[in-house]
Amino acid sequence: MPILTARLERSPEGLLYSSGFGDFYHSRDDALGQARAVFLAGNGLPQRWQGRERFTILETGFGAGLNFLATWAAWREDARRSARLHFVSCELHPFTHEDLALIHAAWPDLATLAAELRAQWPALAPGLHRLNLDDGRVTLTLHLGDAAEGLARIDARADALYLDGFAPAKNPALWSERIFHLLANLAAPGATLATWSVAGEVREGLRRAGFATEKAPGFGTKWQMLRGRLAREPRPLRAPLADTAGRHALVIGAGLAGCTVAERLAERGWTVALIDRAPAPASGASGNLAGVLRPLPSLDDNRMSRLTRAGSLYAWRRIRQLRARGLALRADDCGVLHLGRDATQEAKMRAVVERLALPPAHLRFVSVAEAAELAGCAVANGGWWFAGSGWVQPPSLCAASLEAAGGRVRGHFGQTVARLGYDGGAWHAHGPDGSTIASAPVAILAPGTGIAGFEQASLPVTSARGQVSHLPAAADSAPRVVVCRGSYVSPAVDGLRCAGATFAVDDPDPGLRPEDHAENLQRLAAMLPGFVATPGTDLDPARLDGRVGFRPASPDRLPMIGALPLPAPAPLADAAPARRLDELARQPGLYALSGYGARGLVWSALAAELLASALEGDPAPLERDLLEAIDPARFVLRPAGKTAVRE
């Protein structure tokens, strides 16, 4: 369902109020005092997080973020705090960035933290949003949408629960038995809860869900509050992914997938051995001058739509964070035009925009006239306008990621992994001469199409050859934005613009081909009428430069991210086949980042965060159904032929 933002309203005495629910957001006595007395002290904080590696809090209603900010501030002030703090929260009606700034002004002591939160505040689109704060030590995982739907999809284990929201009589859906049972399913052993509500139906609902509660002195004019703990056996934990005590991994492949996961692990204190057969990072499919970073919506908001939206939004947040650290990352969120093929497709694209009702700053439909104005040149059709999207130079993103990782990543470049073996609780990468390049308890395969050469992978990866054409371009010349329609063309970057790319399955030719340049020019001419025939422009396919890359594509066009299954043995007559992903045996400490196809920029940052979170036991940045959709083991349950679809 589309996200309806909250209205900034205040009561006559100036308190934050919702006329839709007929209730106040916070205590009339002292909002910040309530957060500290009810939710922090009610959960035994800060004492309970002290000395812990990580501590996870789950909240039912984010509101204006005061509970989060108060918790973050208390955590920062505690010298014995946990190494990392995770805060997971749900919000059906979020405030806009502008309204949050006005609301947060009431708490000047939290101004610095509130400003950092707003700097990462996501586009108000449905689903999970991962915000990395406080130099990565604090993580906010925010579900925008119905709380029951979010809690059913969230993959986390909470040490403390904040039950907050409008009063049960005003918003009964947030205090339902379903909510309480979902919270119990997400509770860690020893989990506690706290809330300001002592309503009888709340206490009874929590009891039925498996919580033991007690009344405690309340805050301000409210005499009582409620504290509780999980009194039943918690839901079984997932099997551990690997022995991560040493926090040491080897990553094979130094393209977008490998460099971004190395950085995400390094921020968590891991050391990484990064191996690539090329002499430098980003030498394969990740070496293009400029690639497109934008989502792909659909009328039914299917898995591809949700994954590309989540990946694009997270990637742009990471790009802004890396730039804020002074890293030389080449990217421009100049906007992306995705044009329709004809009037029929334009109508479908307009219907998608109306159906999804996403923020206009993220996605809106534009007519052919407005599209031409945005591009600065004639265009064939109208279509989608992604104002917050644009182009990224993949090698610069790889370089920035490795620089951000500091000394925790050791590069082994110009070295080919001929064999990967497992012995003594560790994976060993061996060179052609049998020597050991590097060893670690955790191994991550991210070598692009080269993953087919590892017997442990057994994934239906197809190699898709793509040729990009480099066209001479004057600075600030049109098109001024990225334009797509079956292919793409970038703005001018260092005197060139990229156009392409072709898509040829199982074509191993590494050389530039004039006929592929001609194909790229033909698609460009169809997008931008008259562009190829501009007087004075030399676009002879026989003389154009460009680049060829080989992209790993999956049969269902979705990435393959996660633990690799054991190679399928011969079926036993008396053994029942696995029917669910969690029933499949996995290879110890072995993971894959593959199947990105032409969407390496879209998926690499989020995939890296996802895998690093899984290795650490952190809350996942994606919903459960999407985690299953991208699990590499899915092809064991539903085998697929080696087919590829043009991206």
Side-chain angles (χ1 to χ4, degrees):
M1 296 294 293
I3 296 298
L4 301 178
T5 59
R7 292 174 55 195
L8 178 52
E9 302 174 281
R10 297 192 184 275
S11 67
E13 59 267 46
L15 299 176
L16 196 60
Y17 183 77
S18 170
S19 59
F21 288 95
D23 201 1
F24 295 92
Y25 275 87
H26 306 297
S27 167
R28 300 188 187 192
D29 301 296
D30 175 7
L32 187 54
Q34 180 192 44
R36 291 167 173 162
V38 174
F39 297 106
L40 279 121
N43 277 289
L45 302 175
Q47 293 81 6
R48 288 185 58 234
W49 64 41
Q50 291 176 350
R52 298 274 296 269
E53 179 62 35
R54 68 183 52 80
F55 195 86
T56 300
I57 297 168
L58 177 60
E59 179 185 51
T60 53
F62 189 78
L66 182 58
N67 291 338
F68 169 65
L69 292 172
T71 302
W72 184 7
W75 179 85
R76 284 175 59 94
E77 293 166 2
D78 183 7
R80 298 177 59 195
R81 61 182 176 262
S82 57
R84 294 177 67 88
L85 175 66
H86 289 273
F87 199 98
V88 184
S89 189
C90 300
E91 181 54 53
L92 180 60
H93 300 301
F95 284 102
T96 65
H97 178 279
E98 293 76 16
D99 285 347
L100 282 178
L102 296 173
I103 295 168
H104 291 163
W107 305 299
D109 290 349
L110 302 175
T112 301
L113 302 185
E116 186 173 347
L117 169 63
R118 293 195 304 274
Q120 293 292 313
W121 195 240
L124 301 183
L128 280 183
H129 300 264
R130 170 59 58 90
L131 281 65
N132 302 114
L133 304 161
D134 209 331
D135 294 327
R137 299 177 302 168
V138 174
T139 302
L140 172 61
T141 305
L142 183 62
H143 170 78
L144 298 184
D146 178 73
E149 178 182 320
L151 294 174
R153 290 179 168 180
I154 285 171
D155 188 350
R157 188 52 61 95
D159 301 297
L161 304 171
Y162 290 6
L163 277 64
D164 198 13
F166 298 118
K170 305 288 187 179
N171 187 17
L174 200 59
W175 304 86
S176 66
E177 287 203 22
R178 184 185 180 205
I179 291 285
F180 299 147
H181 279 86
L182 290 170
L183 291 173
N185 286 338
L186 294 170
T192 62
L193 68 84
T195 180
W196 49 266
S197 176
V198 293
E201 62 269 26
V202 171
R203 289 182 281 119
E204 177 61 16
L206 288 170
R207 184 192 69 78
R208 291 183 179 181
F211 292 98
T213 63
E214 63 178 3
K215 294 180 181 179
F219 174 77
T221 56
K222 192 168 181 56
W223 289 6
Q224 294 178 316
M225 59 170 279
L226 201 65
R227 297 186 304 207
R229 60 179 177 82
L230 186 67
R232 65 167 175 80
E233 286 295 316
R235 179 174 55 83
L237 289 167
R238 288 172 296 166
L241 293 179
D243 178 9
T244 59
R247 284 197 169 91
H248 181 47
L250 64 87
V251 176
I252 301 175
L256 283 170
C259 291
T260 52
V261 78
E263 186 274 329
R264 291 286 77 210
L265 288 173
E267 186 184 75
R268 290 165 166 84
W270 287 59
T271 57
V272 178
L274 183 62
I275 309 171
D276 199 290
R277 63 185 178 184
S283 297
S286 299
N288 285 339
L289 175 66
V292 188
L293 176 49
R294 52 94 185 186
L296 184 65
S298 68
L299 190 62
D300 59 352
D301 205 24
N302 57 29
R303 295 176 302 178
M304 176 68 76
S305 176
R306 292 165 57 202
L307 279 167
T308 56
R309 181 169 66 239
S312 297
L313 292 174
Y314 181 76
W316 281 111
R317 283 197 295 275
R318 287 298 301 154
I319 286 170
R320 287 191 289 270
Q321 285 188 310
L322 291 170
R323 279 179 156 178
R325 295 174 60 175
L327 300 175
L329 200 164
R330 300 288 305 279
D332 187 3
D333 53 353
C334 56
V336 176
L337 278 171
H338 185 135
L339 306 177
R341 290 188 302 271
D342 49 36
T344 299
Q345 191 184 36
E346 278 191 49
K348 292 179 180 178
M349 297 172 83
R350 187 189 295 271
V352 168
V353 173
E354 294 173 353
R355 176 72 176 273
L356 298 183
L358 295 167
H362 175 70
L363 169 66
R364 66 185 179 93
F365 183 84
V366 293
S367 66
V368 63
E370 187 175 1
E373 183 178 354
L374 289 166
C377 62
V379 298
N381 301 94
W384 290 326
W385 170 240
F386 302 96
S389 295
W391 62 267
V392 180
Q393 190 175 85
S396 75
L397 177 54
C398 291
S401 297
L402 295 182
E403 187 175 351
R408 292 192 173 275
V409 176
R410 180 185 177 188
H412 299 265
F413 299 112
Q415 301 201 47
T416 299
V417 179
R419 185 176 65 86
L420 184 66
Y422 186 73
D423 181 62
W427 289 97
H428 308 276
H430 300 289
D433 60 355
S435 63
T436 301
I437 301 171
S439 302
V442 171
I444 300 170
L445 299 181
T449 58
I451 197 169
F454 291 88
E455 61 181 358
Q456 295 89 351
S458 299
L459 297 176
V461 173
T462 298
S463 174
R465 179 188 183 276
Q467 180 171 315
V468 173
S469 302
H470 292 168
L471 313 181
D476 299 323
S477 60
R480 297 186 294 263
V481 303
V482 180
V483 185
C484 305
R485 196 188 78 169
S487 62
Y488 82 99
V489 61
S490 74
V493 181
D494 298 335
L496 296 172
R497 68 175 82 252
C498 295
T502 59
F503 191 90
V505 176
D506 292 333
D507 181 345
D509 182 8
L512 291 171
R513 298 195 294 233
E515 59 268 30
D516 285 15
H517 284 319
E519 179 182 338
N520 287 335
L521 292 175
Q522 182 180 11
R523 292 178 179 275
L524 178 56
M527 276 195 299
L528 307 179
F531 184 86
V532 174
T534 302
T537 302
D538 182 9
L539 298 180
D540 183 350
R543 291 198 295 267
L544 285 178
D545 198 2
R547 197 172 187 282
V548 173
F550 298 90
R551 301 161 293 188
S554 70
D556 57 8
R557 299 194 300 154
L558 298 179
M560 306 173 189
I561 305 165
L564 283 166
L566 285 170
L572 301 176
D574 58 347
R579 298 180 181 274
R580 301 195 315 267
L581 288 169
D582 59 3
E583 295 176 344
L584 293 172
R586 309 291 175 127
Q587 299 180 71
L590 185 61
Y591 307 89
L593 294 172
S594 188
Y596 293 3
R599 297 190 174 93
L601 283 169
V602 173
W603 282 325
S604 58
L606 184 59
E609 175 70 10
L610 170 61
L611 186 52
S613 297
L615 287 168
E616 284 284 295
D618 297 337
L622 280 173
E623 296 90 335
R624 290 178 183 273
D625 61 318
L626 295 182
L627 296 179
E628 293 181 355
I630 62 178
D631 192 321
R634 65 188 185 270
F635 297 108
V636 175
L637 299 184
R638 46 181 178 87
K642 279 199 171 186
T643 59
V645 180
R646 185 181 181 98
E647 301 280 334

